[in-house]
Structure formats: structure tokens, C-alpha cells
Amino acid sequence: MWCIVPTIKPIPKNLLTDTIAYKPILSDQGDGWNSEYGEEQEISFVRVEPATSMNRSSDSQGRQANDIVFIDRNHSSFFPTDAKAGDLINDREVTRVKKLKTFDEIHHLEIEVV
């Protein structure tokens, strides 16, 4: 018995109107001062969306994302499959990377930056 698997279309290119500067972190001494970064890579055809969230807890110490960057596997000029917290986007720190998959392949990245 065959199963027809629908394909999921990439993010429409007309929505990917931004360009970012991406630098992967190479090493971190844990003190926030001595981190080393790789070569800067310009990535075009991405989307940068402002993120808003409310923190209702008076004792919460979590950092909130200021922007979410969408990088599409098909349309973006570069796709950093190994993106991680600590990398830099436009000289701002990446706090979390969500790798959204379709079946076994990454469809796009949603990267939160502060």
C-alpha cells in the first residue's frame, strides 16, 4: 500500500525581505567576555520579525527575545544547519534556535535574538 506524502512549500520568497549578518560562535570561556566567533556570513532572503511577550512572574529571570529571524532552506542565500545559542546575528546574541522539520529534513529555522 502506497502513502502519498504532501510536500510542504518553502516560505514564500516575497516574505523574505531582510538581510542579516551571521557569525557562528567557535568557543566560549563562559564569562561572556572571551568568546571567539567565525567569519561573518551575510544571509539574504530572511525575515526578521519583532517578538513581543509578557512576563507576569515577578521573580522570573529568563531573557526574552527581541526578534525572531526566519531562515528558509530553499530561498535564503545561506542555511546554517548548525546554528546554536551564542551565535551572533547583526551583533546580537542568539538565545534559541528552533529547527522546524518536515519528515526528516529541516524546512526552516526560527532563531530568537536579544
Side-chain angles (χ1 to χ4, degrees), residues 2-113:
W2 290 92
C3 177
I4 298 176
V5 179
T7 58
I8 298 175
K9 295 181 180 179
I11 298 172
K13 195 170 185 177
N14 66 326
L15 296 177
L16 303 171
T17 58
D18 300 307
T19 299
I20 60 168
Y22 169 78
K23 282 193 235 179
I25 190 166
L26 299 177
S27 69
D28 185 7
Q29 304 302 319
D31 59 8
W33 295 100
N34 297 315
S35 300
E36 293 182 41
Y37 295 92
E39 187 175 331
E40 183 173 288
Q41 174 76 42
E42 183 176 279
I43 307 175
S44 53
F45 303 109
V46 302
R47 182 151 190 100
V48 179
E49 284 287 323
T52 57
S53 61
M54 293 181 63
N55 185 353
R56 296 183 187 262
S57 173
S58 63
D59 62 343
S60 175
Q61 296 179 0
R63 294 190 297 181
Q64 303 299 320
N66 293 339
D67 289 322
I68 299 177
V69 179
F70 297 87
I71 303 177
D72 184 73
R73 180 176 206 88
N74 287 19
H75 293 308
S76 297
S77 62
F78 176 72
F79 193 74
T81 55
D82 57 345
K84 61 197 163 302
D87 292 348
L88 295 179
I89 290 181
N90 295 340
D91 291 322
R92 295 169 51 207
E93 185 181 356
V94 171
T95 58
R96 182 164 56 164
V97 177
K98 294 181 187 176
K99 297 178 181 182
L100 285 89
K101 295 183 177 185
T102 56
F103 310 104
D104 289 331
E105 184 175 283
I106 299 173
H107 182 266
H108 71 275
L109 301 175
E110 294 180 13
I111 301 176
E112 296 178 7
V113 294

